Amino acid sequence: MQALTLKLNKDQSYFLIKIRKNIDSYLKNKIENASGFAVINNDIVTAISLQFELILEDDNKITRLDAKGISKRRKETFLQFKSISYERINNDLSFLKVAVTLNDITKIVELEAFVKTEIHQTGQSKVVFEIATEIDKKDFGLGVDEQISINGLAFGKNINAEGNFEFLSD
């Protein structure tokens, strides 16, 4: 069977950042400049490529205080995400290695990935790709010398993120 390449369906994809791990509250954001593809060989996903920018919306009410309690100037906040490699472990679990840029700092992060392949009655193939990660915000220079609160909640120690991306055949 020949390889089948699917394109990212931007309208059915999202990436969320939790304010705190134990609270179901997320930053309002939008995905821009998204692109990607998935390759299927013999009903197995063999490659995934994904990149996007995540823009945090202004109505998040982000407050930054330095160690002396003085309000710091708010930066334009966004995250850049670009996949580097994909590794399939088994039918249920894979890993995606990505370059994440936040606060002008780029780090390589490994994400757990769960892949589900479907074929619709119309003959169109679909891959749903779910990712989850926890990133130490100090790796990106956040919270080192400041306290950050979002919508009145203190931002947690780590950045907890989850995403759902859909790829479709033409």
Side-chain angles (χ1 to χ4, degrees):
M1 180 180 211
Q2 74 184 56
L4 176 64
T5 302
L6 291 76
K7 292 182 182 177
L8 177 66
N9 180 357
K10 299 173 196 173
D11 297 331
Q12 293 296 319
S13 299
Y14 64 83
F15 190 80
L16 302 172
I17 297 175
K18 284 184 111 171
I19 294 174
R20 294 185 69 83
K21 186 175 184 174
N22 58 348
I23 298 175
D24 285 334
S25 184
Y26 298 90
L27 291 175
K28 294 179 184 174
N29 63 60
K30 60 184 173 184
I31 293 177
E32 291 187 352
N33 304 317
S35 63
F37 64 87
V39 178
I40 300 175
N41 282 310
N42 298 324
D43 297 329
I44 296 173
V45 176
T46 57
I48 289 182
S49 176
L50 179 64
Q51 68 180 49
F52 62 88
E53 291 179 356
L54 189 74
I55 309 297
L56 300 184
E57 295 185 6
D58 290 336
D59 59 350
N60 280 307
K61 296 183 179 96
I62 298 172
T63 305
R64 299 170 185 265
L65 298 175
D66 67 13
K68 296 178 184 176
I70 298 171
S71 183
K72 294 175 74 175
R73 190 173 67 86
R74 190 173 148 249
K75 299 177 185 178
E76 177 66 32
T77 309
F78 73 95
L79 174 138
Q80 290 178 320
F81 180 103
K82 184 174 184 179
S83 62
I84 297 170
S85 67
Y86 170 78
E87 180 183 5
R88 180 181 176 273
I89 303 300
N90 58 39
N91 288 340
D92 298 321
L93 179 64
S94 300
F95 288 97
L96 186 68
K97 194 173 285 188
V98 299
V100 175
T101 302
L102 178 63
N103 203 28
D104 296 325
I105 298 171
T106 301
K107 297 280 185 181
I108 305 301
V109 176
E110 193 167 77
L111 310 173
E112 279 187 69
F114 304 94
V115 180
K116 182 178 177 186
T117 306
E118 299 176 0
I119 297 179
H120 290 281
Q121 294 171 348
T122 60
Q124 187 176 41
S125 294
K126 172 175 141 179
V127 169
V128 177
F129 181 68
E130 296 178 3
I131 56 175
T133 192
E134 185 172 288
I135 303 167
D136 187 340
K137 67 183 182 183
K138 290 181 181 178
D139 287 347
F140 293 94
L142 298 172
V144 175
D145 61 351
E146 65 185 357
Q147 292 179 345
I148 302 172
S149 66
I150 300 162
N151 301 328
L153 296 171
F155 196 61
K157 175 184 174 192
N158 295 317
I159 298 169
N160 295 283
E162 56 191 61
N164 186 311
F165 299 91
E166 180 179 280
F167 299 85
L168 295 174
S169 60
D170 292 328

